[in-house]
Amino acid sequence: MTKILDLPSSKSQSAKSSPIASPVAMPDGIAWHRWLLPLQGAMAVNEPPLDRLAIEAELDSYATCKTPVNRSKLLSCLRTHLDQAKASLCESFYHSNDGAVYVGMHAWVIDILLQSLYAQTQKQCVGGDELALIAVGGYGRGEMAPFSDIDIMFLMPKKVTETHTKFIEFMLYILWDLGLKIGHSTRSLTESIDAANDDQTVLTSLLEMRHVAGDNSMWVKLNRAVQRKIAKQKPLAYVEEKLGERDLRHKRFGDTRYVVEPNVKDGKGGLRDLHSLFWITKYAYRANSIIEIVKKGVLRDAEARKFALAQRFLWTVRCHLHLHADRPEERLDFEAQMIIAPRLGFADRGGLRGVERFMKRYYLAARSVGNLTRIFCAAMETDFRKSLIDWRPDFLRTHELDPFHIESGRVRLADDVLFRDAPIRLIELFAIAQKHDADVHPSTLQRVTRALSTLDSKTRDDAQANQLFLDILTSRKNPERVLRLMNESGVFGRFLPDFGRIVAMMQFDMYHSYTVDEHTLKAIGILHGIETGALRQAAPIATEVMPEIGSRRALYVAMLLHDIAKGRSGNHSVLGAEVALVVCPRLGLSHEETETVSWLILHHLLMSKIAFRYDLNDPQTIEDFASIVQSPERL
């Protein structure tokens, strides 16, 4: 069991008096609210991680009445206090395993450091009263992993003088000498707005900005200017661009959240996807936090809590990853998985190694991120596109699918019809999507997620529901797409509980590139490619013999179930063959088909085992193989 620190609910007096300005109110006493606002949550319940008064007293002791502290003393003092604070954060993190606390406290450390340095720079240089130091990017959100960049902006007056430049350079050189990785920009208010007009990345960074030090009135003016700019824009234009950026990023990292060595930050289902939802929240709904989105009715309380849990877990993993690598590493490779799993308390249990249980937890968190993205998209479709739906030509809708209709290539359940009144509709939905090459409307997927609990044993035993599922699996159109959609929505594992057990299950070896469920879905897609001839060049023999197979249904069901018993104590081929004897009749397969499926699963590793471990030139090897296979159909 993972050891996660339960945060206390009381606020420290020192946190209340912090000089840090923020447009976001302090979170209430609910723990998961603080996970959504790491910096504000840290300030609400903890003492400051750096003692600014102690730093200033030490520096004052080095100064004389006429000259401020010299640069080397300033650097030494700040480095000592920074190193002590980071060491303390690291020790606390290894005790609590709470990434949300770490990233918030680390951001607070940097805030106090910058405020102290800014105050000392004002004693060394003039011009500081006319500048504002603004936190942007991840630092602006109040989220700092151990080796995150510190993104800051110096907000300047209209007329920049040499004194302003010297002030900024003094600060930057100290920060660089401290070994901090600083991402900085220097702009006036007008230049900031112009840059935001030209570059969505700049606009996004301004959505996350916080005042840290200097002239607060300048930050207030910039914040108001940004809000005025947003008010004049159409939310969907920004949202669609951000979702487009997300899709391109996903393609760079494999376009699946189920790779065995995922990128925690930029991969599909990673932290960057949560950041995208945060940006959409800020821009489209003029909200400062996910908590405000709940109050606006966009998310339910339970959905926001899932957001918080996913974010907290991903932050915890990322912090461990940085500390293990001693650098800003985002790829959760095999070595890191082996190190981090026991640190989070994952031990071997129930046929699964500790590292496999850890990665299953990771993939489930990544899937939650995908579900939340769909819910956001559904809400925006409803809130911002109502006027667009009215003018769409009627031929874009198919009315004979009552209670469903196809709208712009997406299947949608009528608003006045509920899944819970007839849970078989959860299967019908995907059968229609498969038959008509359609996607599923985001609002309907949102309703699917909320109705999963209604898919019970009665629906699982329903003959019509099983026939619909079998039709999807054995469709002449590639079933991989719709089966993956069923899996992502949670319907697949709910309808076929044995499959649910392998969802997000990692295969900790060098032979598999995906989780068990993703491997299975890709295998079904490859089988379809062989059948249609799309893979003739890669698999010519398999393509040639495929039309000679007597039972397509048995082959596709065997492909679905071949790894169904992974993660259980015992031989997964033997156990999987036993599962098939139960599942196949439920799906409507005949006794003969059931026996074939069970045999295929039992021996699905036989050919590769003989090919790689035995002498194929030995006649006895061939005879032994033939005695097991017995027929060309099984072969």
Side-chain angles (χ1 to χ4, degrees):
M1 183 176 181
T2 56
K3 298 188 297 180
I4 300 291
L5 180 67
D6 289 327
L7 302 178
S9 58
S10 61
K11 296 182 179 180
S12 66
Q13 294 299 316
S14 57
K16 290 181 180 179
S17 60
S18 171
I20 301 173
S22 171
V24 184
M26 286 290 184
D28 52 35
I30 301 175
W32 66 265
H33 284 192
R34 295 196 292 274
W35 304 339
L36 291 170
L37 300 167
L39 174 58
Q40 290 76 19
M43 293 170 63
V45 298
N46 294 285
E47 296 293 330
L50 273 179
D51 190 337
R52 183 175 172 183
L53 294 178
I55 293 174
E56 292 178 352
E58 181 179 340
L59 291 172
D60 287 343
S61 70
Y62 299 141
T64 66
C65 58
K66 294 183 178 180
T67 59
V69 61
N70 66 55
R71 188 181 185 282
S72 62
K73 291 286 188 181
L74 172 61
L75 184 61
S76 175
C77 174
L78 293 179
R79 178 178 285 121
T80 298
H81 285 271
L82 179 61
D83 290 346
Q84 289 174 350
K86 286 189 172 183
S88 178
L89 284 184
C90 185
E91 181 181 356
S92 297
F93 173 69
Y94 281 134
H95 173 72
S96 69
N97 274 327
D98 195 328
V101 171
Y102 183 98
V103 298
M105 292 294 287
H106 190 195
W108 198 1
V109 166
I110 301 303
D111 277 355
I112 298 173
L113 176 76
L114 290 177
Q115 290 160 0
S116 298
L117 176 57
Y118 199 97
Q120 289 300 316
T121 306
Q122 286 181 303
K123 297 177 181 179
Q124 305 272 353
C125 310
V126 297
D129 292 339
E130 299 171 339
L131 303 176
L133 179 58
I134 309 297
V136 295
Y139 175 41
R141 288 192 304 274
E143 301 171 352
M144 288 286 293
F147 289 92
S148 291
D149 293 355
I150 302 171
D151 296 322
I152 57 176
M153 178 176 71
F154 289 95
L155 192 57
M156 313 273 285
K158 289 183 179 180
K159 294 183 179 180
V160 180
T161 66
E162 187 177 348
T163 57
H164 298 137
T165 303
K166 288 183 177 180
F167 185 96
I168 293 170
E169 288 178 349
F170 184 91
M171 281 198 68
L172 288 176
Y173 281 120
I174 291 290
L175 293 172
W176 289 330
D177 287 345
L178 286 172
L180 300 175
K181 190 174 181 181
I182 305 295
H184 71 282
S185 60
T186 304
R187 297 189 181 101
S188 67
L189 192 152
T190 302
E191 289 171 339
S192 298
I193 297 301
D194 289 343
N197 288 330
D198 296 336
D199 189 344
Q200 288 277 31
T201 302
V202 175
L203 174 60
T204 299
S205 71
L206 295 181
L207 290 176
E208 303 171 307
M209 64 180 177
R210 291 184 299 112
H211 175 260
V212 177
D215 186 354
N216 185 65
S217 65
M218 293 184 67
W219 174 82
V220 171
K221 291 177 182 177
L222 177 59
N223 188 48
R224 288 174 178 169
V226 171
Q227 296 305 317
R228 286 196 298 269
K229 171 180 169 50
I230 292 174
K232 296 176 182 178
Q233 305 297 317
K234 294 181 179 180
L236 279 182
Y238 176 84
V239 170
E240 288 174 352
E241 181 165 337
K242 283 300 163 189
L243 293 178
E245 290 177 2
R246 180 205 62 181
D247 292 341
L248 290 175
R249 173 169 45 80
H250 287 171
K251 289 180 180 178
R252 290 201 308 271
F253 291 94
D255 207 21
T256 175
R257 58 181 59 91
Y258 301 116
V259 292
V260 293
E261 293 185 324
N263 187 295
V264 177
K265 179 183 177 183
D266 292 313
K268 192 171 185 178
L271 281 164
R272 187 63 78 202
D273 283 358
L274 288 177
H275 298 160
S276 296
L277 296 183
F278 174 80
W279 298 329
I280 290 170
T281 296
K282 297 273 286 187
Y283 195 97
Y285 290 100
R286 315 293 193 261
N288 286 316
S289 71
I290 299 299
I291 298 170
E292 291 185 21
I293 286 293
V294 175
K295 295 176 181 178
K296 290 176 180 286
V298 178
L299 287 182
R300 294 181 178 180
D301 196 74
E303 292 161 348
R305 189 173 189 275
K306 288 181 180 179
F307 186 111
L309 287 168
Q311 178 170 266
R312 184 196 195 198
F313 180 78
L314 291 173
W315 270 123
T316 300
V317 173
R318 190 183 184 206
C319 288
H320 271 296
L321 192 54
H322 278 207
L323 293 172
H324 164 67
D326 198 31
R327 57 187 171 86
E329 177 61 64
E330 311 300 346
R331 182 165 165 261
L332 188 56
D333 60 22
F334 287 135
E335 179 187 352
Q337 292 169 20
M338 292 289 289
I339 297 296
I340 295 173
R343 287 180 177 174
L344 289 177
F346 288 96
D348 298 352
R349 185 186 304 166
L352 286 178
R353 298 167 63 184
V355 66
E356 292 170 334
R357 294 181 59 238
F358 162 56
M359 291 307 296
K360 183 179 179 74
R361 174 69 180 84
Y362 174 87
Y363 295 123
L364 290 175
R367 191 175 76 168
S368 291
V369 175
N371 290 337
L372 288 164
T373 301
R374 284 194 295 272
I375 290 171
F376 263 84
C377 290
M380 286 183 291
E381 184 90 9
T382 301
D383 295 340
F384 300 115
R385 275 195 170 146
K386 291 177 181 177
S387 60
L388 297 181
I389 294 173
D390 295 336
W391 60 261
R392 284 177 177 154
D394 201 50
F395 69 81
L396 290 177
R397 301 187 180 188
T398 305
H399 297 285
E400 68 271 15
L401 302 175
D402 186 63
F404 298 95
H405 61 263
I406 297 179
E407 180 182 284
S408 300
R410 299 180 296 185
V411 186
R412 184 168 188 167
L413 180 66
D415 292 339
D416 59 347
V417 178
L418 302 177
F419 281 114
R420 68 168 176 261
D421 292 338
I424 192 175
R425 291 172 182 150
L426 290 166
I427 310 300
E428 289 176 347
L429 168 69
F430 295 100
I432 292 171
Q434 177 71 12
K435 181 178 179 181
H436 295 274
D437 290 319
D439 200 351
V440 178
H441 196 281
S443 66
T444 299
L445 277 175
Q446 180 186 38
R447 296 174 66 187
V448 167
T449 302
R450 293 171 174 175
L452 284 177
S453 61
T454 65
L455 207 167
D456 54 15
S457 58
K458 182 179 179 181
T459 306
R460 286 192 285 268
D461 292 335
D462 185 279
Q464 183 184 357
N466 281 281
Q467 184 60 53
L468 287 170
F469 177 80
L470 190 61
D471 289 344
I472 295 172
L473 175 64
T474 60
S475 172
R476 295 289 179 177
K477 300 175 181 178
N478 192 348
E480 180 184 357
R481 177 185 67 89
V482 169
L483 289 175
R484 179 172 287 107
L485 196 55
M486 291 182 71
N487 190 33
E488 291 286 327
S489 66
V491 170
F492 203 153
R494 187 79 183 180
F495 183 71
L496 196 63
D498 287 296
F499 188 86
R501 294 180 64 170
I502 63 169
V503 168
M505 180 181 291
M506 180 191 180
Q507 304 179 85
F508 195 78
D509 56 46
M510 299 304 295
Y511 304 104
H512 296 89
S513 300
Y514 304 99
T515 55
V516 180
D517 56 328
E518 182 67 9
H519 161 78
T520 299
L521 297 178
K522 285 187 174 292
I524 292 171
I526 290 171
L527 178 60
H528 177 267
I530 292 172
E531 184 178 26
T532 59
L535 297 177
R536 182 181 301 276
Q537 188 172 358
I541 297 176
T543 301
E544 183 179 347
V545 302
M546 188 75 178
E548 301 177 17
I549 293 175
S551 177
R552 287 183 70 255
R553 299 201 311 176
L555 181 58
Y556 273 89
V557 173
M559 187 63 78
L560 170 66
L561 301 179
H562 78 280
D563 277 345
I564 200 73
K566 279 281 184 76
R568 306 188 191 191
S569 299
N571 187 314
H572 82 280
S573 298
V574 175
L575 297 175
E578 295 173 357
V579 171
L581 295 176
V582 177
V583 172
C584 290
R586 191 195 116 184
L587 294 177
L589 269 63
S590 66
H591 176 73
E592 182 180 353
E593 288 173 316
T594 298
E595 289 294 327
T596 298
V597 171
S598 182
W599 184 92
L600 287 171
I601 295 171
L602 179 63
H603 297 291
H604 76 275
L605 298 176
L606 176 65
M607 186 174 287
S608 61
K609 177 182 177 181
I610 290 179
F612 290 109
R613 298 184 184 180
Y614 293 85
D615 182 6
L616 298 182
N617 294 316
D618 184 350
Q620 187 62 46
T621 299
I622 306 304
E623 288 181 15
D624 291 343
F625 177 74
S627 67
I628 296 173
V629 177
Q630 295 185 347
S631 72
E633 173 75 4
R634 284 182 170 180
L635 179 62

